[in-house]
Amino acid sequence: MTMIGTEELKSLFARIAEAMASEKDRLCELDGVIGDADHGIAMELGFAAAAKAVLELDPMAADPTLVFNTAAKSFLNAVGASSGPLYATALMRAGAVSKGKASLSDDDMVEIFSAFAKGIQDRGKAEVGEKTMVDAWAPAAVACRAARDQGLPLAECLAVGLKAGAAGAEATKDMIAAKGRSSRLGDRALGHMDPGAASAVLVISCFRDHFK
Ligand code: ADP
Ligand code: MG
């Protein structure tokens, strides 16, 4: 088992920021259909700000909690859309899981993955089936945890989580939104994937790729 330190977390944020930049247009297009077309911009701005802020942390002084808390603050300051407080809460929860640890174990990473999902759910009060990013995050976290309980290594747990998250995002196409901007559309939202669920799959795939 390898321990995950602050430098590795910094490069995880750089990876997510890169993914959001390259998928920005697709996320804006998805949001354009059932929202206000800014989701790609929000996610790119948020993770770019987070990646930049954590990169600037002193490697000698920063622990994983400081990395996640710094990312949370920067994300919140950079994003005016509803994804801002949702991901900021996810990142703060990751910081709380890391508290007092100089580096993170595979079990800690699984815990952090669950804390992300729980933070988003607690903050936005959305349940599975309401056509939000929770439809990707919640099943991903459950599947990841279940895989870990069966003794699978972190990389496989994240791969299982990604598969469940992608299936959850796909399922949002058949949902009517009950939370967020698209809830005003009623059944006109049918047939379209929720942009927040789509970006959640991207974030999860960055986790998977990073810990391969
Ligand atoms: P805004 O709707 O303010 O423009 P974004 O476009 O950045 O914000 O994000 C939209 C996404 O936010 C939606 O696709 C949905 O996944 C997610 N979302 C909105 N409200 C909630 C909520 N209460 N709980 C979880 N996710 C939500
Ligand atoms: Mg939007």
Side-chain angles (χ1 to χ4, degrees), residues 51-66:
K52 182 170 183 286
V54 301
L55 190 67
E56 286 165 359
L57 290 172
D58 176 358
M60 301 315 285
D63 60 6
T65 291
L66 184 62

Side-chain angles (χ1 to χ4, degrees), residues 7-8 15 25-26 39 48 60 62 68 71 98 129 140 143 153 167 176 186 199:
E7 293 310 297
E8 196 160 344
R15 183 188 286 266
D25 292 345
R26 182 173 70 90
H39 188 61
M60 301 315 285
F68 284 120
S98 314
I176 292 170
S199 63

Side-chain angles (χ1 to χ4, degrees), residues 90-200:
L91 291 162
M92 290 294 288
R93 295 289 177 86
V97 170
S98 314
K99 193 130 195 84
K101 297 173 195 242
S103 59
L104 304 170
S105 67
D106 290 359
D107 280 328
D108 292 331
M109 275 326 289
V110 173
E111 203 61 45
I112 280 169
F113 197 76
S114 295
F116 250 70
K118 178 101 181 2
I120 288 167
Q121 253 186 305
D122 288 350
R123 176 72 210 206
K125 304 270 179 283
E127 301 291 339
V128 166
E130 294 190 319
K131 200 179 180 91
T132 71
M133 58 176 78
V134 167
D135 288 301
W137 273 112
V142 168
C144 180
R145 170 61 56 85
R148 190 66 184 168
D149 289 345
Q150 284 171 19
L152 293 181
L154 177 62
E156 281 176 52
C157 299
L158 292 172
V160 168
L162 175 59
K163 206 166 165 218
E170 195 60 34
T172 64
K173 287 181 180 169
D174 300 325
M175 295 173 191
I176 292 170
K179 289 281 189 308
R181 216 174 276 282
S182 54
S183 60
R184 299 171 202 157
L185 290 180
D187 58 16
R188 278 180 291 155
L190 281 176
H192 307 289
M193 185 182 287
D194 175 66
S199 63

